Amino acid sequence: MADDDHDFTNADAGASKTYPQQCSALRKNGYVVIKQRPCKIVEMSTSKTGKHGHAKVHLVALDIFNNKKYEDICPSTHNMDVPHVKRIDYQLMNIDDNFLTLMSDAGEQREDIKLPDNEIGKEISSKFDAGESFYVTILSAMGEEAAVGTKVMTS
């Protein structure tokens, strides 16, 4: 088998989306991956070491995109994946066909974020309809992005 029949020019190992962290080092309000979803930890408790050794960490976390609740239990010495989470504020320029037209500080426009179908979406729509100028906070993790909040513009 020849080595030249594989194209590795844009290989994606998927590793850049998450990084490992020891279970005992995770903290409330931090992030963790549970069932392949990026989540924010809302509760955690550690059980005592049993007769077979390891302390267990019980995690309760909410999906950062759909607020679904997930739970997981893992030995405190094991590693868990933690998503790389980015928050970027964009100025809202327009709403067209339920997609947001956003502009970054560098002046780059993007139109690929859908207006969320929740309270944040209603808030964005009503502020936009009232003619307010404001920022929309976009949260991105593991190849997904969503509008998660608004911020008053200060000049």
Side-chain angles (χ1 to χ4, degrees):
M1 182 163 157
D3 286 337
D4 55 332
D5 57 351
H6 294 293
D7 180 17
F8 293 113
T9 49
N10 50 3
D12 177 19
S16 60
K17 294 177 181 171
T18 63
Y19 60 94
Q21 188 171 20
Q22 196 167 335
C23 220
S24 59
L26 296 171
R27 294 288 170 258
K28 189 173 172 179
N29 292 329
Y31 298 104
V32 69
V33 177
I34 299 178
K35 292 186 176 54
Q36 308 297 310
R37 299 292 304 160
C39 300
K40 186 173 189 170
I41 300 167
V42 291
E43 248 178 76
M44 64 187 290
S45 57
T46 309
S47 66
K48 286 201 220 57
T49 51
K51 73 175 180 196
H52 295 295
H54 302 288
K56 297 257 195 296
V57 178
H58 178 239
L59 298 168
V60 179
L62 296 176
D63 187 307
I64 59 176
F65 294 117
N66 63 25
N67 256 356
K68 214 171 145 189
K69 186 175 176 181
Y70 290 101
E71 292 189 50
D72 201 2
I73 294 175
C74 84
S76 62
T77 54
H78 282 212
N79 279 347
M80 286 195 74
D81 285 333
V82 176
H84 287 285
V85 178
K86 277 198 327 219
R87 298 176 79 93
I88 304 173
D89 292 332
Y90 291 93
Q91 184 178 346
L92 181 68
M93 307 305 287
N94 194 11
I95 299 175
D96 184 27
D97 204 20
N98 274 345
F99 278 88
L100 307 175
T101 302
L102 304 165
M103 189 166 66
S104 71
D105 289 341
E108 294 161 0
Q109 273 200 4
R110 55 184 301 186
E111 300 174 347
D112 58 339
I113 304 286
K114 216 168 168 36
L115 181 69
D117 190 16
N118 57 19
E119 290 305 311
I120 302 296
K122 291 185 185 109
E123 181 186 339
I124 292 170
S125 290
S126 64
K127 282 185 171 186
F128 179 74
D129 292 342
E132 291 181 42
S133 290
F134 60 96
Y135 291 109
V136 175
T137 303
I138 303 298
L139 198 67
S140 63
M142 296 175 67
E144 251 183 273
E145 293 183 301
V148 295
T150 62
K151 205 184 260 182
V152 176
M153 283 178 81
T154 51
S155 42

